[in-house]
Amino acid sequence: SRRRWMSRRRQYQENVGNDTLIVEEPPYRAIFLAFFLFSVGTALLSVGFLVLFGHIDVAYWWPGRTWGEQATAFLVLGGISFIPGSYVTYVAWASHRGLPGYTYSMIPTHDH
């Protein structure tokens, strides 16, 4: 089959009979960073909930601080990391599986 690469668009065209199939190359760096944010956010949210429900002793690890301060910090930072990481990870998974309505072009990248 004949492939023609399109510059600046991470896509190539593949001629199959009378049809033209456009196949996208995944943005690997953006997917890696999204999975990293997803993992860090999950860990921070887990620690935040453990502190919130009293399974981690705040006085031992952070003397002079209350459980509310520490739980809030972990939960906010975890949420900031988890939400965009989980969104992009899901879009990448759905694009890889070929679910209708999901493409790699939906993943934000900073490539020029």
Short mmCIF file of all heavy atoms in Angstrom, two decimals, residues 21-78:
data_model
loop_
_atom_site.label_atom_id
_atom_site.label_comp_id
_atom_site.label_asym_id
_atom_site.label_seq_id
_atom_site.Cartn_x
_atom_site.Cartn_y
_atom_site.Cartn_z
N LEU A 21 -7.87 5.62 3.95
CA LEU A 21 -7.92 5.46 5.40
C LEU A 21 -6.88 6.38 6.03
O LEU A 21 -5.71 6.34 5.66
CB LEU A 21 -7.62 4.00 5.77
CG LEU A 21 -7.56 3.65 7.25
CD1 LEU A 21 -8.94 3.82 7.87
CD2 LEU A 21 -7.06 2.24 7.43
N ILE A 22 -7.31 7.23 6.96
CA ILE A 22 -6.38 8.12 7.64
C ILE A 22 -6.06 7.52 9.00
O ILE A 22 -6.95 7.29 9.80
CB ILE A 22 -6.96 9.54 7.80
CG1 ILE A 22 -7.15 10.15 6.42
CG2 ILE A 22 -6.06 10.39 8.66
CD1 ILE A 22 -7.59 11.57 6.42
N VAL A 23 -4.79 7.26 9.23
CA VAL A 23 -4.33 6.65 10.47
C VAL A 23 -3.47 7.67 11.21
O VAL A 23 -2.56 8.24 10.63
CB VAL A 23 -3.51 5.37 10.18
CG1 VAL A 23 -3.04 4.74 11.46
CG2 VAL A 23 -4.34 4.39 9.37
N GLU A 24 -3.78 7.87 12.48
CA GLU A 24 -3.04 8.85 13.28
C GLU A 24 -1.98 8.17 14.11
O GLU A 24 -2.18 7.08 14.63
CB GLU A 24 -3.98 9.57 14.24
CG GLU A 24 -4.99 10.45 13.58
CD GLU A 24 -5.87 11.10 14.62
OE1 GLU A 24 -6.72 10.41 15.17
OE2 GLU A 24 -5.66 12.29 14.88
N GLU A 25 -0.85 8.83 14.25
CA GLU A 25 0.19 8.35 15.15
C GLU A 25 -0.08 8.94 16.53
O GLU A 25 -0.33 10.14 16.66
CB GLU A 25 1.56 8.79 14.66
CG GLU A 25 2.68 8.31 15.53
CD GLU A 25 4.02 8.78 15.02
OE1 GLU A 25 4.17 8.93 13.80
OE2 GLU A 25 4.90 9.02 15.85
N PRO A 26 -0.05 8.14 17.58
CA PRO A 26 -0.35 8.67 18.91
C PRO A 26 0.72 9.65 19.39
O PRO A 26 1.90 9.45 19.13
CB PRO A 26 -0.36 7.43 19.80
CG PRO A 26 -0.12 6.27 18.94
CD PRO A 26 0.20 6.73 17.57
N PRO A 27 0.31 10.70 20.10
CA PRO A 27 1.30 11.62 20.70
C PRO A 27 1.87 11.00 21.98
O PRO A 27 1.33 11.17 23.07
CB PRO A 27 0.48 12.87 20.99
CG PRO A 27 -0.92 12.39 21.13
CD PRO A 27 -1.05 11.18 20.26
N TYR A 28 2.95 10.24 21.83
CA TYR A 28 3.48 9.44 22.93
C TYR A 28 3.88 10.28 24.14
O TYR A 28 3.65 9.89 25.28
CB TYR A 28 4.68 8.61 22.46
CG TYR A 28 4.30 7.57 21.44
CD1 TYR A 28 4.68 7.70 20.12
CD2 TYR A 28 3.53 6.47 21.81
CE1 TYR A 28 4.33 6.75 19.19
CE2 TYR A 28 3.17 5.52 20.88
CZ TYR A 28 3.57 5.66 19.57
OH TYR A 28 3.20 4.72 18.66
N ARG A 29 4.50 11.42 23.92
CA ARG A 29 4.95 12.24 25.04
C ARG A 29 3.78 12.76 25.86
O ARG A 29 3.79 12.72 27.09
CB ARG A 29 5.81 13.40 24.53
CG ARG A 29 6.41 14.21 25.66
CD ARG A 29 7.41 15.21 25.19
NE ARG A 29 6.88 16.03 24.12
CZ ARG A 29 7.55 16.99 23.53
NH1 ARG A 29 8.78 17.24 23.88
NH2 ARG A 29 7.01 17.70 22.57
N ALA A 30 2.74 13.22 25.19
CA ALA A 30 1.55 13.73 25.90
C ALA A 30 0.85 12.61 26.66
O ALA A 30 0.38 12.81 27.78
CB ALA A 30 0.59 14.39 24.91
N ILE A 31 0.80 11.42 26.08
CA ILE A 31 0.17 10.29 26.76
C ILE A 31 0.99 9.87 27.98
O ILE A 31 0.43 9.58 29.04
CB ILE A 31 -0.03 9.12 25.78
CG1 ILE A 31 -1.06 9.51 24.72
CG2 ILE A 31 -0.46 7.86 26.52
CD1 ILE A 31 -1.19 8.52 23.59
N PHE A 32 2.32 9.86 27.85
CA PHE A 32 3.17 9.53 29.00
C PHE A 32 2.98 10.54 30.13
O PHE A 32 2.84 10.16 31.30
CB PHE A 32 4.64 9.49 28.58
CG PHE A 32 5.57 9.33 29.73
CD1 PHE A 32 5.72 8.10 30.36
CD2 PHE A 32 6.29 10.41 30.22
CE1 PHE A 32 6.57 7.94 31.43
CE2 PHE A 32 7.14 10.27 31.28
CZ PHE A 32 7.29 9.04 31.90
N LEU A 33 2.97 11.83 29.80
CA LEU A 33 2.78 12.86 30.83
C LEU A 33 1.39 12.76 31.46
O LEU A 33 1.24 12.97 32.67
CB LEU A 33 3.01 14.24 30.24
CG LEU A 33 4.45 14.55 29.84
CD1 LEU A 33 4.54 15.90 29.15
CD2 LEU A 33 5.37 14.52 31.05
N ALA A 34 0.39 12.44 30.67
CA ALA A 34 -0.96 12.29 31.22
C ALA A 34 -1.04 11.09 32.17
O ALA A 34 -1.66 11.18 33.23
CB ALA A 34 -1.97 12.12 30.09
N PHE A 35 -0.40 9.99 31.79
CA PHE A 35 -0.39 8.83 32.67
C PHE A 35 0.38 9.12 33.96
O PHE A 35 0.01 8.66 35.03
CB PHE A 35 0.19 7.60 31.96
CG PHE A 35 0.03 6.34 32.74
CD1 PHE A 35 -1.21 5.74 32.86
CD2 PHE A 35 1.11 5.77 33.38
CE1 PHE A 35 -1.37 4.59 33.60
CE2 PHE A 35 0.97 4.62 34.12
CZ PHE A 35 -0.27 4.03 34.23
N PHE A 36 1.45 9.92 33.85
CA PHE A 36 2.20 10.34 35.04
C PHE A 36 1.31 11.18 35.95
O PHE A 36 1.27 10.97 37.17
CB PHE A 36 3.45 11.12 34.62
CG PHE A 36 4.23 11.66 35.78
CD1 PHE A 36 5.02 10.82 36.55
CD2 PHE A 36 4.18 13.01 36.09
CE1 PHE A 36 5.74 11.31 37.63
CE2 PHE A 36 4.90 13.50 37.16
CZ PHE A 36 5.68 12.65 37.94
N LEU A 37 0.57 12.15 35.40
CA LEU A 37 -0.35 12.96 36.20
C LEU A 37 -1.43 12.11 36.84
O LEU A 37 -1.80 12.31 38.00
CB LEU A 37 -1.01 14.05 35.34
CG LEU A 37 -0.20 15.29 35.05
CD1 LEU A 37 -0.99 16.20 34.11
CD2 LEU A 37 0.13 16.02 36.32
N PHE A 38 -1.94 11.15 36.08
CA PHE A 38 -2.97 10.24 36.59
C PHE A 38 -2.42 9.44 37.79
O PHE A 38 -3.09 9.31 38.82
CB PHE A 38 -3.41 9.30 35.47
CG PHE A 38 -4.37 8.24 35.89
CD1 PHE A 38 -5.67 8.56 36.24
CD2 PHE A 38 -3.98 6.92 35.91
CE1 PHE A 38 -6.56 7.57 36.62
CE2 PHE A 38 -4.87 5.92 36.29
CZ PHE A 38 -6.16 6.26 36.64
N SER A 39 -1.20 8.94 37.68
CA SER A 39 -0.60 8.15 38.76
C SER A 39 -0.32 9.00 39.99
O SER A 39 -0.62 8.61 41.12
CB SER A 39 0.70 7.50 38.28
OG SER A 39 0.46 6.68 37.18
N VAL A 40 0.27 10.18 39.78
CA VAL A 40 0.57 11.08 40.91
C VAL A 40 -0.73 11.54 41.57
O VAL A 40 -0.82 11.58 42.81
CB VAL A 40 1.42 12.28 40.43
CG1 VAL A 40 1.49 13.37 41.49
CG2 VAL A 40 2.82 11.82 40.06
N GLY A 41 -1.72 11.88 40.78
CA GLY A 41 -3.01 12.30 41.34
C GLY A 41 -3.68 11.20 42.14
O GLY A 41 -4.25 11.46 43.21
N THR A 42 -3.61 9.97 41.65
CA THR A 42 -4.19 8.85 42.39
C THR A 42 -3.48 8.66 43.72
O THR A 42 -4.12 8.45 44.76
CB THR A 42 -4.09 7.56 41.55
OG1 THR A 42 -4.80 7.77 40.32
CG2 THR A 42 -4.69 6.38 42.29
N ALA A 43 -2.15 8.76 43.71
CA ALA A 43 -1.39 8.60 44.96
C ALA A 43 -1.70 9.73 45.95
O ALA A 43 -1.92 9.48 47.15
CB ALA A 43 0.11 8.58 44.66
N LEU A 44 -1.75 10.97 45.47
CA LEU A 44 -2.05 12.09 46.36
C LEU A 44 -3.47 12.03 46.91
O LEU A 44 -3.70 12.33 48.09
CB LEU A 44 -1.82 13.42 45.63
CG LEU A 44 -0.37 13.79 45.37
CD1 LEU A 44 -0.29 15.05 44.50
CD2 LEU A 44 0.39 14.00 46.66
N LEU A 45 -4.42 11.64 46.07
CA LEU A 45 -5.79 11.50 46.56
C LEU A 45 -5.89 10.38 47.60
O LEU A 45 -6.60 10.51 48.60
CB LEU A 45 -6.75 11.22 45.41
CG LEU A 45 -7.12 12.41 44.52
CD1 LEU A 45 -7.93 11.96 43.32
CD2 LEU A 45 -7.88 13.46 45.32
N SER A 46 -5.17 9.29 47.37
CA SER A 46 -5.18 8.19 48.34
C SER A 46 -4.63 8.64 49.69
O SER A 46 -5.23 8.37 50.74
CB SER A 46 -4.37 7.01 47.81
OG SER A 46 -4.92 6.53 46.62
N VAL A 47 -3.49 9.33 49.67
CA VAL A 47 -2.91 9.82 50.92
C VAL A 47 -3.84 10.83 51.57
O VAL A 47 -4.02 10.82 52.80
CB VAL A 47 -1.51 10.42 50.68
CG1 VAL A 47 -0.99 11.14 51.90
CG2 VAL A 47 -0.54 9.33 50.24
N GLY A 48 -4.45 11.70 50.77
CA GLY A 48 -5.38 12.69 51.32
C GLY A 48 -6.56 12.06 52.02
O GLY A 48 -6.95 12.49 53.11
N PHE A 49 -7.13 11.02 51.42
CA PHE A 49 -8.26 10.35 52.07
C PHE A 49 -7.82 9.56 53.30
O PHE A 49 -8.55 9.49 54.29
CB PHE A 49 -9.00 9.44 51.08
CG PHE A 49 -9.91 10.21 50.16
CD1 PHE A 49 -9.69 10.20 48.80
CD2 PHE A 49 -10.97 10.95 50.66
CE1 PHE A 49 -10.51 10.91 47.95
CE2 PHE A 49 -11.80 11.66 49.82
CZ PHE A 49 -11.58 11.64 48.46
N LEU A 50 -6.62 8.98 53.26
CA LEU A 50 -6.11 8.29 54.45
C LEU A 50 -5.88 9.25 55.61
O LEU A 50 -6.17 8.93 56.76
CB LEU A 50 -4.82 7.53 54.11
CG LEU A 50 -4.99 6.30 53.23
CD1 LEU A 50 -3.62 5.76 52.83
CD2 LEU A 50 -5.82 5.25 53.92
N VAL A 51 -5.38 10.44 55.31
CA VAL A 51 -5.21 11.46 56.35
C VAL A 51 -6.57 11.94 56.83
O VAL A 51 -6.80 12.11 58.04
CB VAL A 51 -4.36 12.64 55.83
CG1 VAL A 51 -4.40 13.82 56.78
CG2 VAL A 51 -2.92 12.21 55.59
N LEU A 52 -7.49 12.16 55.91
CA LEU A 52 -8.82 12.66 56.25
C LEU A 52 -9.56 11.72 57.19
O LEU A 52 -10.21 12.15 58.14
CB LEU A 52 -9.63 12.89 54.97
CG LEU A 52 -11.02 13.49 55.13
CD1 LEU A 52 -10.92 14.91 55.67
CD2 LEU A 52 -11.74 13.47 53.81
N PHE A 53 -9.46 10.42 56.93
CA PHE A 53 -10.18 9.45 57.74
C PHE A 53 -9.38 8.93 58.93
O PHE A 53 -9.83 8.03 59.64
CB PHE A 53 -10.67 8.29 56.88
CG PHE A 53 -11.68 8.72 55.85
CD1 PHE A 53 -11.48 8.45 54.52
CD2 PHE A 53 -12.82 9.41 56.23
CE1 PHE A 53 -12.41 8.84 53.57
CE2 PHE A 53 -13.75 9.81 55.28
CZ PHE A 53 -13.55 9.53 53.95
N GLY A 54 -8.18 9.48 59.17
CA GLY A 54 -7.42 9.17 60.37
C GLY A 54 -6.56 7.93 60.32
O GLY A 54 -6.07 7.49 61.36
N HIS A 55 -6.33 7.37 59.16
CA HIS A 55 -5.48 6.19 59.05
C HIS A 55 -3.99 6.55 59.04
O HIS A 55 -3.16 5.68 59.25
CB HIS A 55 -5.82 5.38 57.80
CG HIS A 55 -7.20 4.80 57.86
ND1 HIS A 55 -7.52 3.75 58.69
CD2 HIS A 55 -8.34 5.13 57.22
CE1 HIS A 55 -8.78 3.44 58.52
NE2 HIS A 55 -9.32 4.28 57.65
N ILE A 56 -3.67 7.80 58.75
CA ILE A 56 -2.29 8.30 58.83
C ILE A 56 -2.26 9.35 59.92
O ILE A 56 -3.04 10.30 59.91
CB ILE A 56 -1.83 8.90 57.49
CG1 ILE A 56 -1.75 7.81 56.42
CG2 ILE A 56 -0.48 9.58 57.64
CD1 ILE A 56 -1.33 8.31 55.05
N ASP A 57 -1.34 9.19 60.87
CA ASP A 57 -1.22 10.11 62.00
C ASP A 57 -0.49 11.37 61.56
O ASP A 57 0.70 11.34 61.26
CB ASP A 57 -0.47 9.43 63.15
CG ASP A 57 -0.42 10.29 64.40
OD1 ASP A 57 -1.27 11.20 64.50
OD2 ASP A 57 0.45 10.04 65.25
N VAL A 58 -1.21 12.47 61.53
CA VAL A 58 -0.64 13.74 61.06
C VAL A 58 0.39 14.27 62.04
O VAL A 58 1.42 14.82 61.64
CB VAL A 58 -1.77 14.77 60.84
CG1 VAL A 58 -1.22 16.12 60.44
CG2 VAL A 58 -2.75 14.26 59.80
N ALA A 59 0.17 14.10 63.33
CA ALA A 59 1.10 14.64 64.34
C ALA A 59 2.47 13.97 64.24
O ALA A 59 3.48 14.59 64.57
CB ALA A 59 0.52 14.46 65.74
N TYR A 60 2.52 12.73 63.81
CA TYR A 60 3.80 12.04 63.70
C TYR A 60 4.60 12.52 62.49
O TYR A 60 5.80 12.77 62.58
CB TYR A 60 3.56 10.53 63.59
CG TYR A 60 4.82 9.73 63.40
CD1 TYR A 60 5.67 9.50 64.47
CD2 TYR A 60 5.16 9.23 62.16
CE1 TYR A 60 6.84 8.78 64.30
CE2 TYR A 60 6.32 8.50 61.97
CZ TYR A 60 7.16 8.27 63.05
OH TYR A 60 8.31 7.56 62.88
N TRP A 61 3.94 12.67 61.35
CA TRP A 61 4.63 13.03 60.12
C TRP A 61 4.82 14.54 59.97
O TRP A 61 5.82 14.99 59.42
CB TRP A 61 3.87 12.50 58.91
CG TRP A 61 3.93 11.01 58.81
CD1 TRP A 61 2.96 10.14 59.19
CD2 TRP A 61 5.03 10.23 58.36
NE1 TRP A 61 3.38 8.86 58.98
CE2 TRP A 61 4.65 8.88 58.47
CE3 TRP A 61 6.29 10.53 57.87
CZ2 TRP A 61 5.47 7.84 58.09
CZ3 TRP A 61 7.12 9.49 57.51
CH2 TRP A 61 6.71 8.17 57.62
N TRP A 62 3.85 15.33 60.42
CA TRP A 62 3.91 16.79 60.28
C TRP A 62 3.59 17.42 61.63
O TRP A 62 2.44 17.82 61.87
CB TRP A 62 2.91 17.27 59.22
CG TRP A 62 3.15 16.66 57.89
CD1 TRP A 62 4.10 17.01 56.99
CD2 TRP A 62 2.41 15.59 57.29
NE1 TRP A 62 4.00 16.22 55.88
CE2 TRP A 62 2.98 15.34 56.03
CE3 TRP A 62 1.33 14.82 57.70
CZ2 TRP A 62 2.50 14.35 55.18
CZ3 TRP A 62 0.85 13.83 56.85
CH2 TRP A 62 1.44 13.60 55.63
N PRO A 63 4.58 17.56 62.51
CA PRO A 63 4.31 18.11 63.85
C PRO A 63 3.80 19.55 63.76
O PRO A 63 4.28 20.36 62.96
CB PRO A 63 5.67 18.08 64.54
CG PRO A 63 6.53 17.19 63.73
CD PRO A 63 5.97 17.16 62.35
N GLY A 64 2.83 19.86 64.57
CA GLY A 64 2.29 21.22 64.63
C GLY A 64 1.20 21.50 63.62
O GLY A 64 0.69 22.62 63.57
N ARG A 65 0.84 20.55 62.80
CA ARG A 65 -0.21 20.77 61.81
C ARG A 65 -1.43 19.93 62.15
O ARG A 65 -1.32 18.88 62.77
CB ARG A 65 0.28 20.39 60.42
CG ARG A 65 1.47 21.22 60.01
CD ARG A 65 1.41 21.48 58.59
NE ARG A 65 2.58 22.26 58.20
CZ ARG A 65 2.67 22.86 57.08
NH1 ARG A 65 1.71 22.78 56.22
NH2 ARG A 65 3.75 23.55 56.78
N THR A 66 -2.57 20.40 61.71
CA THR A 66 -3.80 19.65 61.95
C THR A 66 -4.09 18.74 60.77
O THR A 66 -3.56 18.93 59.67
CB THR A 66 -4.98 20.61 62.16
OG1 THR A 66 -5.19 21.34 60.94
CG2 THR A 66 -4.71 21.57 63.30
N TRP A 67 -4.95 17.77 61.00
CA TRP A 67 -5.28 16.82 59.93
C TRP A 67 -6.02 17.50 58.79
O TRP A 67 -5.90 17.12 57.65
CB TRP A 67 -6.08 15.64 60.48
CG TRP A 67 -7.41 16.04 61.04
CD1 TRP A 67 -7.67 16.40 62.32
CD2 TRP A 67 -8.63 16.16 60.34
NE1 TRP A 67 -8.99 16.74 62.47
CE2 TRP A 67 -9.61 16.59 61.25
CE3 TRP A 67 -9.01 15.94 59.02
CZ2 TRP A 67 -10.93 16.80 60.89
CZ3 TRP A 67 -10.33 16.15 58.66
CH2 TRP A 67 -11.27 16.57 59.59
N GLY A 68 -6.79 18.55 59.10
CA GLY A 68 -7.55 19.25 58.07
C GLY A 68 -6.68 19.97 57.07
O GLY A 68 -6.95 19.97 55.87
N GLU A 69 -5.61 20.59 57.57
CA GLU A 69 -4.69 21.30 56.67
C GLU A 69 -4.02 20.33 55.71
O GLU A 69 -3.95 20.58 54.50
CB GLU A 69 -3.60 22.01 57.47
CG GLU A 69 -4.08 23.14 58.34
CD GLU A 69 -2.97 23.66 59.24
OE1 GLU A 69 -1.93 22.98 59.37
OE2 GLU A 69 -3.14 24.75 59.79
N GLN A 70 -3.52 19.25 56.24
CA GLN A 70 -2.80 18.30 55.41
C GLN A 70 -3.72 17.56 54.45
O GLN A 70 -3.38 17.35 53.30
CB GLN A 70 -2.05 17.29 56.28
CG GLN A 70 -0.91 17.90 57.04
CD GLN A 70 0.07 18.62 56.13
OE1 GLN A 70 0.19 19.82 56.19
NE2 GLN A 70 0.75 17.89 55.28
N ALA A 71 -4.89 17.17 54.92
CA ALA A 71 -5.83 16.46 54.04
C ALA A 71 -6.27 17.37 52.90
O ALA A 71 -6.34 16.93 51.75
CB ALA A 71 -7.03 15.98 54.84
N THR A 72 -6.54 18.63 53.19
CA THR A 72 -6.95 19.57 52.15
C THR A 72 -5.86 19.74 51.11
O THR A 72 -6.14 19.74 49.91
CB THR A 72 -7.32 20.93 52.77
OG1 THR A 72 -8.34 20.74 53.75
CG2 THR A 72 -7.79 21.90 51.72
N ALA A 73 -4.61 19.87 51.56
CA ALA A 73 -3.51 20.05 50.62
C ALA A 73 -3.37 18.84 49.70
O ALA A 73 -3.24 18.98 48.48
CB ALA A 73 -2.21 20.27 51.39
N PHE A 74 -3.40 17.64 50.27
CA PHE A 74 -3.27 16.44 49.45
C PHE A 74 -4.46 16.27 48.50
O PHE A 74 -4.28 15.88 47.34
CB PHE A 74 -3.14 15.19 50.33
CG PHE A 74 -1.75 14.99 50.87
CD1 PHE A 74 -1.51 15.09 52.22
CD2 PHE A 74 -0.70 14.68 50.03
CE1 PHE A 74 -0.24 14.91 52.73
CE2 PHE A 74 0.58 14.48 50.52
CZ PHE A 74 0.80 14.59 51.88
N LEU A 75 -5.66 16.56 48.98
CA LEU A 75 -6.84 16.39 48.14
C LEU A 75 -6.89 17.39 47.00
O LEU A 75 -7.25 17.05 45.87
CB LEU A 75 -8.11 16.47 48.99
CG LEU A 75 -8.31 15.31 49.96
CD1 LEU A 75 -9.51 15.58 50.87
CD2 LEU A 75 -8.48 14.00 49.22
N VAL A 76 -6.50 18.64 47.26
CA VAL A 76 -6.50 19.65 46.20
C VAL A 76 -5.44 19.34 45.15
O VAL A 76 -5.71 19.34 43.94
CB VAL A 76 -6.31 21.06 46.79
CG1 VAL A 76 -6.01 22.08 45.71
CG2 VAL A 76 -7.55 21.47 47.57
N LEU A 77 -4.22 19.05 45.60
CA LEU A 77 -3.15 18.73 44.64
C LEU A 77 -3.46 17.43 43.89
O LEU A 77 -3.17 17.32 42.69
CB LEU A 77 -1.81 18.63 45.35
CG LEU A 77 -1.25 19.94 45.88
CD1 LEU A 77 0.02 19.70 46.67
CD2 LEU A 77 -1.00 20.90 44.74
N GLY A 78 -4.03 16.47 44.59
CA GLY A 78 -4.41 15.23 43.93
C GLY A 78 -5.48 15.43 42.89
O GLY A 78 -5.43 14.85 41.79
#
